[in-house]
Amino acid sequence: EGLMKDKGSRDGGFHGLKDCSEEVINKVVEGLMKDKDNFRTLALKNFPLKEKDDNDTKEEESVEVSDEVVTKAVAGVKGSITASAAGYWPETAKQEFAKKLKDSSIEEVIGWLVYGAKSGGHHGLKDASDEILKKVIAEIMKDSDKFKQEAIKNFPLN
């Protein structure tokens, strides 16, 4: 009674709880509840509440989060085509990418990579909106010639 019924850690696979039974989950929660004051102190220390002032709005926070996601995703996508990263790609994916480079416009190639990153859960794009994905594509397109040269050099068509 009174235990949390949200199984986010288990369902998300966090904290090693993914395949745990209800009984194990309840024991973990009971253990945390026995030391709840210490748990609360640690939680608030590591996840502080942001003090809101009168000028804060949800929209501003959302724009900040959006910009952060875009920045990280752009760096991740650009990083994924470097010579060192190319070594981690499966050979079939390398060839598919090389063919795409040969047969499509650079904007289509970048879009293909960005939307592929979303579907694969890469570069922080798993839950990204179309608006964010378009911002990532637009940002990479600003330096599309360099991007294309790097991609062609590191992903030759066999």
Short mmCIF file of all heavy atoms in Angstrom, two decimals, residues 46-95:
data_model
loop_
_atom_site.label_atom_id
_atom_site.label_comp_id
_atom_site.label_asym_id
_atom_site.label_seq_id
_atom_site.Cartn_x
_atom_site.Cartn_y
_atom_site.Cartn_z
N ASN A 46 20.96 16.05 -6.84
CA ASN A 46 21.35 15.68 -8.21
C ASN A 46 20.35 16.12 -9.27
O ASN A 46 20.70 16.19 -10.44
CB ASN A 46 21.58 14.17 -8.29
CG ASN A 46 22.82 13.77 -7.52
OD1 ASN A 46 23.90 14.26 -7.79
ND2 ASN A 46 22.64 12.93 -6.52
N PHE A 47 19.13 16.41 -8.87
CA PHE A 47 18.09 16.85 -9.80
C PHE A 47 17.39 18.07 -9.20
O PHE A 47 16.22 17.99 -8.81
CB PHE A 47 17.08 15.73 -10.07
CG PHE A 47 17.71 14.49 -10.64
CD1 PHE A 47 18.05 13.43 -9.82
CD2 PHE A 47 17.99 14.40 -12.00
CE1 PHE A 47 18.65 12.30 -10.34
CE2 PHE A 47 18.60 13.28 -12.52
CZ PHE A 47 18.93 12.23 -11.70
N PRO A 48 18.10 19.19 -9.12
CA PRO A 48 17.52 20.37 -8.45
C PRO A 48 16.33 20.94 -9.21
O PRO A 48 16.28 20.88 -10.44
CB PRO A 48 18.68 21.37 -8.42
CG PRO A 48 19.57 20.95 -9.52
CD PRO A 48 19.41 19.45 -9.66
N LEU A 49 15.40 21.48 -8.45
CA LEU A 49 14.27 22.16 -9.04
C LEU A 49 14.73 23.53 -9.51
O LEU A 49 15.45 24.23 -8.80
CB LEU A 49 13.14 22.33 -8.02
CG LEU A 49 12.48 21.05 -7.55
CD1 LEU A 49 11.53 21.34 -6.40
CD2 LEU A 49 11.73 20.40 -8.70
N LYS A 50 14.33 23.90 -10.71
CA LYS A 50 14.69 25.21 -11.24
C LYS A 50 13.75 26.23 -10.64
O LYS A 50 12.54 26.07 -10.69
CB LYS A 50 14.57 25.20 -12.76
CG LYS A 50 14.91 26.52 -13.40
CD LYS A 50 14.69 26.49 -14.89
CE LYS A 50 14.91 27.89 -15.44
NZ LYS A 50 14.09 28.14 -16.59
N GLU A 51 14.34 27.27 -10.11
CA GLU A 51 13.52 28.36 -9.60
C GLU A 51 12.98 29.14 -10.79
O GLU A 51 13.73 29.56 -11.66
CB GLU A 51 14.35 29.29 -8.71
CG GLU A 51 14.82 28.65 -7.43
CD GLU A 51 13.68 28.32 -6.48
OE1 GLU A 51 12.70 29.09 -6.43
OE2 GLU A 51 13.77 27.29 -5.80
N LYS A 52 11.68 29.32 -10.83
CA LYS A 52 11.07 30.07 -11.94
C LYS A 52 10.92 31.52 -11.53
O LYS A 52 10.52 31.82 -10.41
CB LYS A 52 9.70 29.49 -12.27
CG LYS A 52 9.76 28.23 -13.06
CD LYS A 52 8.41 27.96 -13.67
CE LYS A 52 8.62 27.03 -14.83
NZ LYS A 52 7.72 27.25 -15.90
N ASP A 53 11.22 32.39 -12.46
CA ASP A 53 10.90 33.79 -12.21
C ASP A 53 9.69 34.14 -13.08
O ASP A 53 9.21 33.33 -13.87
CB ASP A 53 12.09 34.72 -12.45
CG ASP A 53 12.60 34.70 -13.88
OD1 ASP A 53 11.82 34.42 -14.80
OD2 ASP A 53 13.79 34.99 -14.07
N ASP A 54 9.22 35.34 -12.94
CA ASP A 54 8.01 35.75 -13.64
C ASP A 54 8.16 35.74 -15.15
O ASP A 54 7.18 35.70 -15.88
CB ASP A 54 7.56 37.13 -13.18
CG ASP A 54 7.12 37.13 -11.72
OD1 ASP A 54 6.75 36.04 -11.22
OD2 ASP A 54 7.16 38.20 -11.08
N ASN A 55 9.39 35.79 -15.66
CA ASN A 55 9.62 35.85 -17.10
C ASN A 55 9.73 34.47 -17.76
O ASN A 55 9.77 34.38 -18.97
CB ASN A 55 10.88 36.66 -17.40
CG ASN A 55 10.74 38.09 -16.95
OD1 ASN A 55 9.65 38.65 -16.99
ND2 ASN A 55 11.84 38.67 -16.50
N ASP A 56 9.84 33.42 -16.95
CA ASP A 56 9.96 32.08 -17.52
C ASP A 56 8.64 31.65 -18.14
O ASP A 56 7.57 31.87 -17.57
CB ASP A 56 10.33 31.05 -16.44
CG ASP A 56 11.81 31.09 -16.11
OD1 ASP A 56 12.55 31.78 -16.83
OD2 ASP A 56 12.20 30.43 -15.14
N THR A 57 8.74 31.02 -19.30
CA THR A 57 7.55 30.44 -19.91
C THR A 57 7.89 29.06 -20.42
O THR A 57 9.05 28.74 -20.68
CB THR A 57 7.04 31.29 -21.10
OG1 THR A 57 8.03 31.23 -22.13
CG2 THR A 57 6.75 32.72 -20.72
N LYS A 58 6.88 28.24 -20.56
CA LYS A 58 7.07 26.90 -21.08
C LYS A 58 7.64 26.97 -22.50
O LYS A 58 8.47 26.17 -22.88
CB LYS A 58 5.74 26.16 -21.07
CG LYS A 58 5.88 24.68 -21.04
CD LYS A 58 4.62 24.08 -20.44
CE LYS A 58 4.77 22.63 -20.17
NZ LYS A 58 5.47 22.26 -18.97
N GLU A 59 7.21 27.94 -23.27
CA GLU A 59 7.68 28.09 -24.65
C GLU A 59 9.18 28.35 -24.68
O GLU A 59 9.91 27.77 -25.48
CB GLU A 59 6.93 29.22 -25.34
CG GLU A 59 7.28 29.34 -26.82
CD GLU A 59 6.46 30.42 -27.49
OE1 GLU A 59 5.23 30.41 -27.32
OE2 GLU A 59 7.07 31.25 -28.16
N GLU A 60 9.68 29.23 -23.79
CA GLU A 60 11.11 29.52 -23.75
C GLU A 60 11.90 28.27 -23.39
O GLU A 60 12.94 28.00 -23.97
CB GLU A 60 11.40 30.63 -22.73
CG GLU A 60 10.95 32.01 -23.19
CD GLU A 60 11.07 33.04 -22.09
OE1 GLU A 60 11.31 32.68 -20.93
OE2 GLU A 60 10.90 34.23 -22.41
N GLU A 61 11.40 27.49 -22.41
CA GLU A 61 12.07 26.26 -22.03
C GLU A 61 12.09 25.30 -23.20
O GLU A 61 13.09 24.65 -23.46
CB GLU A 61 11.37 25.63 -20.83
CG GLU A 61 11.57 26.40 -19.55
CD GLU A 61 10.75 25.85 -18.40
OE1 GLU A 61 10.16 24.76 -18.56
OE2 GLU A 61 10.71 26.50 -17.35
N SER A 62 11.00 25.21 -23.92
CA SER A 62 10.90 24.31 -25.05
C SER A 62 11.86 24.71 -26.17
O SER A 62 12.47 23.87 -26.80
CB SER A 62 9.45 24.27 -25.52
OG SER A 62 9.33 24.23 -26.88
N VAL A 63 12.03 26.02 -26.39
CA VAL A 63 12.97 26.49 -27.40
C VAL A 63 14.39 26.15 -26.99
O VAL A 63 15.19 25.70 -27.80
CB VAL A 63 12.81 28.02 -27.63
CG1 VAL A 63 13.95 28.57 -28.47
CG2 VAL A 63 11.47 28.30 -28.30
N GLU A 64 14.72 26.33 -25.70
CA GLU A 64 16.05 25.98 -25.21
C GLU A 64 16.32 24.50 -25.40
O GLU A 64 17.40 24.12 -25.85
CB GLU A 64 16.20 26.35 -23.74
CG GLU A 64 16.31 27.84 -23.49
CD GLU A 64 16.32 28.19 -22.01
OE1 GLU A 64 16.50 27.28 -21.17
OE2 GLU A 64 16.14 29.37 -21.70
N VAL A 65 15.36 23.67 -25.05
CA VAL A 65 15.52 22.22 -25.21
C VAL A 65 15.66 21.89 -26.68
O VAL A 65 16.53 21.12 -27.08
CB VAL A 65 14.31 21.47 -24.59
CG1 VAL A 65 14.31 20.02 -24.99
CG2 VAL A 65 14.33 21.61 -23.08
N SER A 66 14.85 22.49 -27.52
CA SER A 66 14.89 22.26 -28.96
C SER A 66 16.26 22.63 -29.51
O SER A 66 16.86 21.88 -30.27
CB SER A 66 13.80 23.08 -29.64
OG SER A 66 14.00 23.17 -31.01
N ASP A 67 16.79 23.80 -29.13
CA ASP A 67 18.10 24.24 -29.60
C ASP A 67 19.20 23.29 -29.15
O ASP A 67 20.12 23.00 -29.91
CB ASP A 67 18.39 25.66 -29.12
CG ASP A 67 17.53 26.71 -29.82
OD1 ASP A 67 16.90 26.37 -30.85
OD2 ASP A 67 17.48 27.85 -29.34
N GLU A 68 19.09 22.82 -27.93
CA GLU A 68 20.09 21.88 -27.40
C GLU A 68 20.04 20.56 -28.18
O GLU A 68 21.08 20.01 -28.54
CB GLU A 68 19.83 21.63 -25.92
CG GLU A 68 20.88 20.77 -25.26
CD GLU A 68 20.61 20.58 -23.77
OE1 GLU A 68 20.17 21.54 -23.11
OE2 GLU A 68 20.86 19.47 -23.29
N VAL A 69 18.86 20.07 -28.45
CA VAL A 69 18.70 18.83 -29.21
C VAL A 69 19.28 19.01 -30.61
O VAL A 69 20.02 18.15 -31.11
CB VAL A 69 17.22 18.40 -29.29
CG1 VAL A 69 17.01 17.28 -30.30
CG2 VAL A 69 16.71 17.98 -27.92
N VAL A 70 18.98 20.14 -31.24
CA VAL A 70 19.48 20.41 -32.59
C VAL A 70 21.01 20.45 -32.59
O VAL A 70 21.66 19.81 -33.42
CB VAL A 70 18.89 21.73 -33.16
CG1 VAL A 70 19.60 22.14 -34.44
CG2 VAL A 70 17.39 21.57 -33.40
N THR A 71 21.59 21.17 -31.66
CA THR A 71 23.05 21.30 -31.58
C THR A 71 23.71 19.93 -31.41
O THR A 71 24.68 19.60 -32.11
CB THR A 71 23.44 22.23 -30.41
OG1 THR A 71 22.86 23.51 -30.65
CG2 THR A 71 24.94 22.37 -30.29
N LYS A 72 23.19 19.13 -30.48
CA LYS A 72 23.76 17.80 -30.24
C LYS A 72 23.56 16.89 -31.44
O LYS A 72 24.46 16.11 -31.80
CB LYS A 72 23.15 17.17 -28.98
CG LYS A 72 23.62 17.82 -27.71
CD LYS A 72 23.01 17.17 -26.49
CE LYS A 72 23.55 17.79 -25.22
NZ LYS A 72 22.98 17.17 -24.02
N ALA A 73 22.41 16.96 -32.06
CA ALA A 73 22.13 16.09 -33.22
C ALA A 73 23.01 16.46 -34.40
O ALA A 73 23.52 15.57 -35.09
CB ALA A 73 20.65 16.18 -33.59
N VAL A 74 23.20 17.74 -34.65
CA VAL A 74 24.06 18.18 -35.75
C VAL A 74 25.47 17.64 -35.53
O VAL A 74 26.09 17.07 -36.44
CB VAL A 74 24.07 19.72 -35.89
CG1 VAL A 74 25.19 20.20 -36.80
CG2 VAL A 74 22.72 20.21 -36.40
N ALA A 75 25.98 17.79 -34.32
CA ALA A 75 27.32 17.29 -34.01
C ALA A 75 27.38 15.77 -34.17
O ALA A 75 28.35 15.23 -34.72
CB ALA A 75 27.72 17.68 -32.59
N GLY A 76 26.33 15.07 -33.75
CA GLY A 76 26.30 13.62 -33.85
C GLY A 76 26.26 13.14 -35.29
O GLY A 76 26.99 12.22 -35.67
N VAL A 77 25.41 13.77 -36.11
CA VAL A 77 25.30 13.36 -37.51
C VAL A 77 26.61 13.67 -38.24
O VAL A 77 27.13 12.83 -38.98
CB VAL A 77 24.10 14.03 -38.21
CG1 VAL A 77 24.11 13.76 -39.71
CG2 VAL A 77 22.79 13.54 -37.60
N LYS A 78 27.16 14.85 -38.02
CA LYS A 78 28.44 15.19 -38.66
C LYS A 78 29.54 14.23 -38.19
O LYS A 78 30.37 13.80 -38.98
CB LYS A 78 28.83 16.63 -38.35
CG LYS A 78 28.04 17.66 -39.12
CD LYS A 78 28.53 19.06 -38.79
CE LYS A 78 27.89 20.11 -39.67
NZ LYS A 78 28.40 21.47 -39.36
N GLY A 79 29.53 13.91 -36.92
CA GLY A 79 30.53 12.99 -36.38
C GLY A 79 30.40 11.59 -36.93
O GLY A 79 31.38 10.85 -37.02
N SER A 80 29.19 11.22 -37.32
CA SER A 80 28.95 9.84 -37.79
C SER A 80 29.54 9.56 -39.17
O SER A 80 29.62 8.40 -39.58
CB SER A 80 27.45 9.54 -37.80
OG SER A 80 26.80 10.20 -38.87
N ILE A 81 29.95 10.61 -39.88
CA ILE A 81 30.52 10.39 -41.22
C ILE A 81 32.03 10.58 -41.25
O ILE A 81 32.64 10.54 -42.31
CB ILE A 81 29.84 11.28 -42.28
CG1 ILE A 81 30.11 12.76 -42.00
CG2 ILE A 81 28.36 10.97 -42.38
CD1 ILE A 81 30.02 13.63 -43.23
N THR A 82 32.65 10.78 -40.10
CA THR A 82 34.10 10.93 -40.06
C THR A 82 34.77 9.58 -40.35
O THR A 82 34.14 8.53 -40.24
CB THR A 82 34.57 11.44 -38.68
OG1 THR A 82 34.20 10.47 -37.69
CG2 THR A 82 33.97 12.80 -38.35
N ALA A 83 36.04 9.65 -40.68
CA ALA A 83 36.79 8.42 -40.99
C ALA A 83 36.76 7.44 -39.81
O ALA A 83 36.57 6.24 -40.00
CB ALA A 83 38.23 8.77 -41.38
N SER A 84 36.93 7.96 -38.60
CA SER A 84 36.95 7.06 -37.43
C SER A 84 35.58 6.44 -37.18
O SER A 84 35.47 5.27 -36.81
CB SER A 84 37.44 7.80 -36.19
OG SER A 84 36.64 8.91 -35.91
N ALA A 85 34.51 7.20 -37.40
CA ALA A 85 33.16 6.67 -37.19
C ALA A 85 32.76 5.69 -38.29
O ALA A 85 32.02 4.73 -38.03
CB ALA A 85 32.15 7.80 -37.10
N ALA A 86 33.23 5.90 -39.50
CA ALA A 86 32.87 5.03 -40.62
C ALA A 86 33.24 3.57 -40.33
O ALA A 86 32.55 2.66 -40.78
CB ALA A 86 33.55 5.51 -41.90
N GLY A 87 34.28 3.38 -39.56
CA GLY A 87 34.70 2.02 -39.21
C GLY A 87 33.69 1.26 -38.37
O GLY A 87 33.73 0.03 -38.30
N TYR A 88 32.77 1.96 -37.75
CA TYR A 88 31.76 1.31 -36.91
C TYR A 88 30.48 0.99 -37.67
O TYR A 88 29.60 0.32 -37.14
CB TYR A 88 31.42 2.19 -35.70
CG TYR A 88 32.58 2.32 -34.75
CD1 TYR A 88 33.36 3.47 -34.73
CD2 TYR A 88 32.92 1.28 -33.89
CE1 TYR A 88 34.44 3.59 -33.85
CE2 TYR A 88 33.99 1.39 -33.01
CZ TYR A 88 34.74 2.55 -33.01
OH TYR A 88 35.80 2.66 -32.14
N TRP A 89 30.36 1.50 -38.88
CA TRP A 89 29.16 1.24 -39.68
C TRP A 89 29.21 -0.19 -40.22
O TRP A 89 30.25 -0.64 -40.69
CB TRP A 89 29.11 2.20 -40.87
CG TRP A 89 28.70 3.61 -40.60
CD1 TRP A 89 29.23 4.46 -39.67
CD2 TRP A 89 27.71 4.34 -41.30
NE1 TRP A 89 28.64 5.68 -39.76
CE2 TRP A 89 27.70 5.64 -40.75
CE3 TRP A 89 26.85 4.04 -42.34
CZ2 TRP A 89 26.84 6.63 -41.22
CZ3 TRP A 89 25.99 5.05 -42.80
CH2 TRP A 89 25.98 6.31 -42.23
N PRO A 90 28.07 -0.88 -40.23
CA PRO A 90 28.03 -2.19 -40.91
C PRO A 90 28.28 -1.99 -42.40
O PRO A 90 27.91 -0.94 -42.97
CB PRO A 90 26.59 -2.68 -40.67
CG PRO A 90 26.06 -1.84 -39.57
CD PRO A 90 26.81 -0.54 -39.59
N GLU A 91 28.93 -2.93 -43.05
CA GLU A 91 29.30 -2.79 -44.46
C GLU A 91 28.09 -2.51 -45.35
O GLU A 91 28.17 -1.68 -46.26
CB GLU A 91 30.05 -4.04 -44.94
CG GLU A 91 30.75 -3.87 -46.27
CD GLU A 91 31.75 -2.69 -46.30
OE1 GLU A 91 32.47 -2.47 -45.32
OE2 GLU A 91 31.78 -1.99 -47.34
N THR A 92 26.98 -3.17 -45.09
CA THR A 92 25.79 -2.94 -45.92
C THR A 92 25.29 -1.50 -45.78
O THR A 92 24.89 -0.88 -46.76
CB THR A 92 24.64 -3.91 -45.56
OG1 THR A 92 24.38 -3.82 -44.16
CG2 THR A 92 24.99 -5.34 -45.92
N ALA A 93 25.34 -0.96 -44.57
CA ALA A 93 24.91 0.42 -44.35
C ALA A 93 25.87 1.39 -45.03
O ALA A 93 25.44 2.41 -45.60
CB ALA A 93 24.83 0.72 -42.85
N LYS A 94 27.17 1.10 -44.98
CA LYS A 94 28.16 1.94 -45.67
C LYS A 94 27.86 2.02 -47.16
O LYS A 94 27.89 3.09 -47.76
CB LYS A 94 29.57 1.38 -45.49
CG LYS A 94 30.19 1.59 -44.17
CD LYS A 94 31.61 1.02 -44.22
CE LYS A 94 32.25 0.96 -42.89
NZ LYS A 94 33.59 0.39 -42.94
N GLN A 95 27.58 0.86 -47.75
CA GLN A 95 27.32 0.82 -49.18
C GLN A 95 25.99 1.50 -49.54
O GLN A 95 25.88 2.17 -50.56
CB GLN A 95 27.38 -0.61 -49.72
CG GLN A 95 28.80 -1.16 -49.77
CD GLN A 95 29.73 -0.24 -50.54
OE1 GLN A 95 29.53 0.03 -51.72
NE2 GLN A 95 30.76 0.27 -49.87
#
